[in-house]
Amino acid sequence: MPNQQTLVVFRRWRDTGTIIALFPAIPSDIHGWFCESYEHVGQHGGADYHGVIQATRPVTVEEAAPLADELDRIGYNLKPIKRTSYHFHETRRTAARAMTTAAV
């Protein structure tokens, strides 16, 4: 069975120029308000998707390649997308609710 693809949005911070990967469908908190993210320095963490989008700019495939390669090496099967929709954010919130319910 092939690995499920993970949706990812790559962006570049306007102030530092570093690349961040946002996983819009993966929750990083129990409410699903924040999505999982990844950077070279700091690695995994939670992120306010819309806040990060406002503080960053889109990247080219070439700019995202080093971070994408790092994510591939640690086991991700990435499906890069340029933008999300309500559906992806609702998927994240639903996954967070499922984790909360399973913990009870």
Side-chain angles (χ1 to χ4, degrees):
M1 173 192 229
N3 289 344
Q4 181 178 349
Q5 287 190 306
T6 302
L7 298 172
V8 62
V9 176
F10 290 103
R11 302 285 292 193
R12 178 182 294 277
W13 290 106
R14 293 182 195 279
D15 57 353
T16 64
T18 58
I19 307 294
I20 184 170
L22 297 168
F23 303 105
I26 302 175
S28 71
D29 65 287
I30 63 169
H31 303 289
W33 294 332
F34 299 103
C35 69
E36 192 67 31
S37 67
Y38 189 91
E39 293 184 79
H40 286 302
V41 176
Q43 300 180 333
H44 284 101
D48 172 5
Y49 179 86
H50 298 291
V52 172
I53 294 299
Q54 289 179 351
T56 59
R57 68 166 183 82
V59 297
T60 64
V61 172
E62 293 79 20
E63 291 173 316
L67 188 57
D69 290 343
E70 182 175 335
L71 290 165
D72 286 338
R73 282 192 305 274
I74 62 172
Y76 282 91
N77 180 14
L78 300 175
K79 180 177 182 181
I81 57 176
K82 292 291 182 184
R83 65 183 58 92
T84 63
S85 68
Y86 174 81
H87 171 74
F88 298 128
H89 298 293
E90 189 55 35
T91 298
R92 179 181 69 243
R93 289 186 283 272
T94 300
R97 283 191 299 271
M99 288 187 311
T100 304
T101 305
V104 174

